[in-house]
Amino acid sequence: MQRTLRIAAFGVFLLQCCCLDNFLLAEANENGSGYQPLWSNSFGVPFVNATYDYVIVGGGTAGLAVAWKLALSGKYDVAVVEAGGFYEQDNGNGSVIPGLAPLQGLGWDSNHPAPLLIDWGFVTEPQKGLDDRSLFYARGKTLGGCSARAHGAFMRGTKGTYQKWADEVNDPSYEFDQLLPYFKNSSTLTPPNHSKRFPNGTVVYDETAYATKTPGPLQISWPNWAIPLGTWGSSGFENIGLSTSKTGFSSGVLEGHGWIPGTINPVDSHRSSSQSSFLKEAMLKTSLKVYTRAFATKILFNQTTATGIELRTEGVSYSLSARKEVILSAGVFQSPHLLMLSGVGPKEHLQSHGIPVVHDRPGVGQNLHDKTYVGTGFRVNVETSSSLDSPEYAAEAAHDFLYNQTGPLTNGPAYVAFERLPTSSLSPTAQAALQGNFSSDWPHIEYLIENGFSGNNSDYATSDPKDGYNYGTISAAISTTLSRGNVSLRSNDPLQPPVINPNYYSNPIDMELAIAAFKRVRKIWAGMANVTIGPEHYPGTAAVSTDGEIEQYIRQNSIMIWHASATCKMGSANDSMAVVDSKARVFGVERLRVVDISAIPFLPPGHPQGTVYALALKIADDVLRDAESP
Ligand SMILES: Cc1cc2nc3c(=O)[nH]c(=O)nc-3n(C[C@H](O)[C@H](O)[C@H](O)COP(=O)(O)OP(=O)(O)OC[C@H]3O[C@@H](n4cnc5c(N)ncnc54)[C@H](O)[C@@H]3O)c2cc1C
Ligand SMILES: *[C@@H]1O[C@H](CO)[C@@H](O)[C@H](O)[C@H]1NC(C)=O
Ligand SMILES: *[C@@H]1O[C@H](CO)[C@@H](O)[C@H](O)[C@H]1NC(C)=O
Ligand SMILES: *[C@@H]1O[C@H](CO)[C@@H](O)[C@H](O)[C@H]1NC(C)=O
Ligand SMILES: *[C@@H]1O[C@H](CO)[C@@H](O)[C@H](O)[C@H]1NC(C)=O
Ligand SMILES: *[C@@H]1O[C@H](CO)[C@@H](O)[C@H](O)[C@H]1NC(C)=O
Ligand SMILES: *[C@@H]1O[C@H](CO)[C@@H](O)[C@H](O)[C@H]1NC(C)=O
Ligand SMILES: *[C@@H]1O[C@H](CO)[C@@H](O)[C@H](O)[C@H]1NC(C)=O
Ligand SMILES: *[C@@H]1O[C@H](CO)[C@@H](O)[C@H](O)[C@H]1NC(C)=O
Ligand SMILES: *[C@@H]1O[C@H](CO)[C@@H](O)[C@H](O)[C@H]1NC(C)=O
Ligand SMILES: *[C@@H]1O[C@H](CO)[C@@H](O)[C@H](O)[C@H]1NC(C)=O
Ligand SMILES: *[C@@H]1O[C@H](CO)[C@@H](O)[C@H](O)[C@H]1NC(C)=O
Ligand SMILES: *[C@@H]1O[C@H](CO)[C@@H](O)[C@H](O)[C@H]1NC(C)=O
């Protein structure tokens, strides 16, 4: 079966190459290493100064969607600058096969191996609220950015979420109904193929939430496999009083339980990232230039007008000028970092690092909004990812994936539920703060059924006990966190990573919710007694039962769910902490926008990538409109 696996690995590799065939000239040797990509429409000019209409910094989730739309207009020269390369080559099947996503160096322990060819390897400051742990914070350093690292869950926030956004930025175009066209035309939805899922893995969703007329290149579908543990989710969630979601989490309502779709290409069951969707189409149809392994070190200004960027490839520095605009899409940590390195940020902080101030903007890097999650694990009597430890099972899984696009390796996201806690279960302080800060349809908690053993969340590649049992985990993520952190400069050297300080649990209400959620998780498991074997395996009720013990467990075992946002938050002109206006233009300077998750004013509930893509396409429309009538 070793042989089968190797063949499978190579086969996937070949499939990928075929997919890229039209715009990639490449030589691959027999074992798939030593692969030398020659990008016919991006090489030729790197390492020398050049001028474009638009220069986009960061070929990640948002950056490539913006690039696609600007390039497809056919009117402008557009360049994208990305520090990484192509994940298909740099990390192979691990990044391409949805079921392998959790094994790509994920977990909080900064000592476990991170795949540094596709990840920045960021580590947070020691977090007081997490028992002084410093957490490895995965961020994609590759075309596709975090869409190439993510587990692929695709959903949208609630109507109230977007109403709050519209209110905060004083622009009704952020209301759900007005964003819907962008949500819709970013993607193509393929209905689930129920003949490939178990008969008990039926999906409920609202097809009117997806495009019929002008679908976009991002592929959304359901895995050709329903995780067996997920099929038991309904009995667990009914045990805490939740019912089946009638709309499937993309219609502006987040309540109840159900299967979520994922960014999976239904044709080959491969990951659909911003690279394999937006970039691929743009490279086939337009003259978009892509600079890979190109690290942007500075935004260049003439007075307060952004004129281009400085960047480095393999140690060589050069510059790209932008006739029209520089668009910063470097993500939640690096968009504010690059702004500060270039002189836009809190004045005193910049000066303390010897950086000349272009514009004093106190909100840059502040307002970091993130959430944590943690859960409990059981032995279960259905197959989970634990079974992949068996070579025979793994070989079969690889075979099913490769030759039939089915089986456990197709699995990305799975079964989730959203809940607003009963008001009576919250302290009066929490009730008031939550009511004041979040809309009334904003769920407090998201529960996730995980197809394997997460243990203490330190490293998913090694957490499974590998003792012949199948393990499952149910975790809870807090969607209404009130703690806020920040990103700041370590030094004025652009190659030094920023200081990342999420301040988890610095607001005690977040801990109150986490403790309540932990207890609900136990109750969910109690409703799944038909599938569990023995008592709770981790942490175990003997070790953790009092509120004090639960709190301690949460501090020692929580991980972030990689959703950090809002470090260059959008706001109205009179909000001194806002960094960009409702067209994502940086206040106080000209010809510079920030378009990625850092520009969202807060972290929406659920999983954010759908919102990031919609924002990118919405702002790209603004950019095109502004180009017509500046
Ligand atoms: C492990 C993991 C799992 C996740 N799971 C999900 C999920 O299931 N569902 C969901 O909705 N969301 C998920 N997310 C979150 C989601 O992927 C991110 O919120 C979203 O993709 C962020 O998009 P972005 O455009 O803001 O940034 P990114 O996609 O991170 O893009 C930033 C890009 O800029 C590049 N860059 C940065 N600095 C520079 C520089 N100086 N020079 C050149 N290039 C630079 C980076 O390399 C990167 O490609 C997950 C994230 C992770 C990490
Ligand atoms: C993925 O590739 C790695 C390295 O080539 C190989 O060891 C592994 O078996 C492959 N997995 C699958 C499912 O193809
Ligand atoms: C793969 O090929 C390269 C170049 O031909 C060679 O150097 C390397 O040893 C090979 N690796 C394996 C694992 O066979
Ligand atoms: C669903 O899968 C079956 C094979 O299991 C296949 O025959 C059928 O064509 C698929 N349906 C669609 C709509 O792709
Ligand atoms: C492909 O998957 C379907 C659905 O699981 C199954 O019925 C069929 O036998 C599989 N075909 C092969 C060749 O494995
Ligand atoms: C997407 O929707 C927006 C808003 O309706 C529209 O302006 C744009 O042309 C659409 N784009 C595509 C590619 O259909
Ligand atoms: C659903 O079907 C799968 C596959 O047969 C099985 O493992 C699982 O236990 C079933 N779930 C329920 C709730 O019966
Ligand atoms: C900077 O802008 C001013 C005013 O628009 C212009 O006159 C000058 O030539 C610019 N300088 C450079 C170096 O481009
Ligand atoms: C390239 O741009 C840099 C500014 O980053 C400038 O110093 C250098 O002179 C330019 N080189 C050429 C050949 O124009
Ligand atoms: C929002 O929550 C904070 C606690 O973090 C609280 O101080 C504040 O009053 C709340 N806002 C409103 C409008 O209730
Ligand atoms: C987390 O659990 C693993 C076992 O899965 C163990 O090796 C590791 O030491 C634990 N880490 C901490 C910090 O407790
Ligand atoms: C970031 O937050 C930390 C902890 O709250 C604080 O000590 C530090 O001064 C802040 N840094 C900046 C630049 O605001
Ligand atoms: C769980 O098992 C009990 C007793 O064996 C049975 O009555 C019940 O229907 C099962 N529940 C589900 C959801 O299958």
Side-chain angles (χ1 to χ4, degrees):
M1 57 280 145
Q2 278 301 55
R3 198 176 134 71
T4 318
L5 277 180
R6 289 190 69 117
I7 294 170
F10 187 53
V12 167
F13 191 78
L14 280 181
L15 280 178
Q16 198 58 40
C17 295
C18 296
C19 257
L20 296 173
D21 214 28
N22 285 338
F23 53 91
L24 170 64
L25 306 171
E27 293 174 275
N29 64 30
E30 188 193 353
N31 64 14
S33 68
Y35 197 77
Q36 294 297 324
L38 302 169
W39 295 95
S40 53
N41 55 357
S42 80
F43 270 40
V45 283
F47 299 68
V48 298
N49 296 356
T51 301
Y52 298 93
D53 292 317
Y54 296 99
V55 174
I56 299 169
V57 180
T61 314
L64 294 181
V66 173
W68 170 81
K69 191 141 191 181
L70 298 187
L72 235 64
S73 78
K75 296 179 186 162
Y76 306 107
D77 296 330
V78 184
V80 179
V81 170
E82 168 55 44
F86 284 81
Y87 60 82
E88 292 89 342
Q89 281 126 43
D90 291 340
N91 199 48
N93 60 18
S95 293
V96 172
I97 300 178
L100 298 179
L103 305 180
Q104 307 312 304
L106 293 179
W108 59 260
D109 185 354
S110 55
N111 295 315
H112 82 278
L116 291 179
L117 263 180
I118 55 156
D119 197 283
W120 289 90
F122 291 132
V123 178
T124 70
E125 294 304 286
Q127 296 295 290
K128 204 165 148 223
L130 296 184
D131 218 22
D132 284 327
R133 285 181 292 139
S134 286
L135 273 58
F136 163 57
Y137 205 125
R139 287 288 97 181
K141 181 186 187 179
T142 174
L143 286 166
C146 287
S147 75
R149 293 288 271 140
H151 295 115
F154 187 90
M155 59 172 64
R156 300 166 189 160
T158 62
K159 289 188 175 161
T161 309
Y162 302 105
Q163 186 62 53
K164 179 178 162 73
W165 187 343
D167 294 345
E168 283 194 15
V169 308
N170 201 10
D171 182 343
S173 66
Y174 285 93
E175 286 168 13
F176 183 77
D177 291 342
Q178 297 202 45
L179 273 181
L180 197 55
Y182 295 104
F183 276 129
K184 284 186 173 178
N185 68 15
S186 62
S187 56
T188 300
L189 182 89
T190 302
N193 189 336
H194 281 116
S195 78
K196 292 190 168 177
R197 296 169 63 87
F198 299 124
N200 61 17
T202 303
V203 172
V204 179
Y205 72 105
D206 170 11
E207 62 182 14
T208 66
Y210 295 91
T212 44
K213 283 202 187 112
T214 56
L218 184 72
Q219 296 298 320
I220 301 176
S221 65
W222 283 265
N224 286 330
W225 199 68
I227 68 166
L229 192 59
T231 65
W232 289 90
S234 56
S235 54
F237 292 125
E238 314 257 318
N239 202 40
I240 59 166
L242 303 182
S243 44
T244 304
S245 161
K246 291 183 189 67
T247 51
F249 316 117
S250 276
S251 300
V253 178
L254 293 180
E255 57 185 30
H257 56 85
W259 299 99
I260 29 173
T263 38
I264 301 171
N265 187 333
V267 172
D268 53 14
S269 283
H270 286 184
R271 175 191 292 277
S272 185
S273 68
S274 64
Q275 184 267 114
S276 67
S277 58
F278 290 100
L279 180 63
K280 185 178 171 193
E281 186 172 314
M283 289 185 86
L284 290 170
K285 293 185 179 168
T286 75
S287 60
L288 175 70
K289 300 289 186 293
V290 182
Y291 289 74
T292 57
R293 312 261 185 243
F295 188 112
T297 50
K298 199 178 182 183
I299 301 157
L300 300 169
F301 288 96
N302 174 358
Q303 312 285 335
T304 55
T305 300
T307 55
I309 61 165
E310 253 172 30
L311 67 168
R312 280 181 215 185
T313 298
E314 289 172 19
V316 179
S317 292
Y318 53 110
S319 70
L320 300 180
S321 304
R323 284 183 208 103
K324 291 186 172 293
E325 293 189 30
V326 173
I327 294 169
L328 195 48
S329 299
V332 69
F333 302 135
Q334 289 150 297
S335 282
H337 190 213
L338 209 49
L339 281 177
M340 289 188 275
L341 287 166
S342 314
V344 178
K347 184 172 158 193
E348 281 171 19
H349 182 55
L350 305 193
Q351 284 171 341
S352 72
H353 288 284
I355 295 172
V357 176
V358 172
H359 175 65
D360 177 17
R361 201 75 219 162
V364 177
Q366 302 296 314
N367 198 44
L368 170 58
H369 188 184
D370 205 359
K371 58 177 125 150
T372 52
Y373 82 120
V374 67
T376 68
F378 271 81
R379 286 176 172 168
V380 294
N381 63 20
V382 287
E383 63 189 85
T384 68
S385 68
S386 304
S387 291
L388 287 167
D389 190 39
S390 144
E392 290 78 12
Y393 183 93
E396 197 182 322
H399 180 276
D400 287 351
F401 183 86
L402 188 58
Y403 298 106
N404 206 18
Q405 291 79 53
T406 57
L409 293 180
T410 63
N411 183 60
Y415 209 84
V416 302
F418 287 90
E419 183 181 31
R420 280 182 67 77
L421 290 171
T423 317
S424 59
S425 68
L426 299 170
S427 68
T429 332
Q431 284 178 35
L434 295 173
Q435 200 178 0
N437 283 275
F438 301 99
S439 60
S440 59
D441 65 356
W442 197 304
H444 299 125
I445 301 174
E446 177 183 359
Y447 303 101
L448 301 96
I449 294 192
E450 289 158 15
N451 190 36
F453 188 65
S454 299
N456 57 24
N457 288 310
S458 64
D459 177 4
Y460 302 127
T462 58
S463 54
D464 194 279
K466 297 193 197 305
D467 58 6
Y469 284 96
N470 281 294
Y471 287 84
T473 303
I474 299 178
S475 295
I478 310 305
S479 294
T480 47
T481 47
L482 291 162
S483 304
R484 295 292 180 272
N486 63 22
V487 186
S488 54
L489 293 160
R490 193 174 302 276
S491 83
N492 60 11
D493 175 358
L495 301 185
Q496 291 290 314
V499 177
I500 299 170
N501 200 343
N503 282 334
Y504 298 117
Y505 299 122
S506 54
N507 188 314
I509 295 169
D510 294 355
M511 180 54 76
E512 181 184 331
L513 289 176
I515 293 171
F518 180 93
K519 293 178 182 172
R520 304 291 278 171
V521 165
R522 282 188 163 162
K523 215 170 162 190
I524 295 164
W525 274 119
M528 293 165 69
N530 289 21
V531 80
T532 56
I533 300 175
E536 180 181 284
H537 185 79
Y538 187 77
T541 46
V544 176
S545 65
T546 65
D547 279 11
E549 286 163 352
I550 293 172
E551 177 173 336
Q552 183 70 356
Y553 174 78
I554 290 168
R555 293 195 191 285
Q556 291 173 346
N557 293 269
S558 296
I559 185 172
M560 85 302 283
I561 186 168
W562 309 285
H563 291 176
S565 59
T567 49
C568 298
K569 77 161 186 170
M570 189 177 283
S572 55
N574 59 11
D575 178 351
S576 65
M577 294 306 280
V579 176
V580 299
D581 70 6
S582 71
K583 288 176 162 187
R585 297 175 295 206
V586 179
F587 283 116
V589 298
E590 293 80 45
R591 295 209 220 155
L592 179 63
R593 297 191 209 229
V594 178
V595 190
D596 58 30
I597 200 166
S598 69
I600 301 179
F602 44 72
L603 173 53
H607 300 254
Q609 65 165 332
T611 302
V612 173
Y613 282 119
L615 174 67
L617 297 183
K618 182 180 193 310
I619 301 298
D621 263 1
D622 289 332
V623 172
L624 290 172
R625 257 192 303 262
D626 289 354
E628 295 299 314
S629 51

